[in-house]
Amino acid sequence: MAGIITLIAAGALLVVWSSVSTSDSTTEFSFHKEPHGTWYIDLPDYPGPKGDLAMVAGADDMLDYLAKGKTRVEVEMSEQPFAGALELVRVKLGEPGGGAFYKPTNHQIESVWLCDVTLYALGKFPEKIYFKAVG
């Protein structure tokens, strides 16, 4: 299934966010855009097919916004607000295999869908995700 986070939303060097994320911590994920235009989260240890790591359904639009024309972007994320962060609020959980829908509260993008790879990357579908580009 194609997707994650997004972000959002959206990547990358973390296997389970909840095991290292505290109220004061943030985690960075890397994303890259291939020449054909598809964004992917960089999760080198992910056990499934590459297609699962594709960013679609609004997550790609958020990455385009964050990357400002570049083909690679590092995104800092947390379940707690932090300086300069945008906010995603979970509005609907899908069935197993159905991901979750998020609403950006301080951005014009209408909706961001995060697939079940989010569970691999973050350990759950957080109620809120705060994020910003850092590289």
Side-chain angles (χ1 to χ4, degrees):
M1 172 178 272
I4 199 190
I5 331 156
T6 80
L7 308 200
I8 327 40
L13 305 172
L14 175 70
V15 173
V16 179
W17 182 6
S18 59
S19 68
V20 299
S21 182
T22 65
S23 61
D24 297 330
S25 71
T26 61
T27 302
E28 286 187 23
F29 292 98
S30 297
F31 298 86
H32 71 277
K33 188 175 190 177
E34 295 197 342
H36 55 77
T38 302
W39 281 99
Y40 292 90
I41 185 170
D42 297 330
L43 291 174
D45 295 329
Y46 179 72
K50 179 182 175 182
D52 287 357
L53 304 176
M55 307 304 293
V56 299
D60 51 344
D61 295 330
M62 284 299 264
L63 289 168
D64 280 335
Y65 172 79
L66 293 171
K68 297 182 181 353
K70 297 178 185 173
T71 59
R72 180 164 286 286
V73 64
E74 300 284 327
V75 179
E76 183 177 10
M77 294 183 194
S78 178
E79 290 185 63
Q80 300 299 317
F82 62 95
L86 297 170
E87 179 186 58
L88 292 174
V89 176
R90 190 181 71 213
V91 294
K92 181 181 177 185
L93 281 173
E95 298 301 318
F101 289 89
Y102 285 81
K103 171 73 177 149
T105 60
N106 47 2
H107 196 275
Q108 71 228 22
I109 293 173
E110 293 295 316
S111 179
V112 173
W113 177 72
L114 302 180
C115 77
D116 284 352
V117 172
T118 304
L119 298 173
Y120 176 82
L122 303 180
K124 61 184 173 179
F125 289 109
E127 288 189 36
K128 293 184 180 182
I129 301 172
Y130 297 91
F131 65 98
K132 72 176 180 180
V134 293

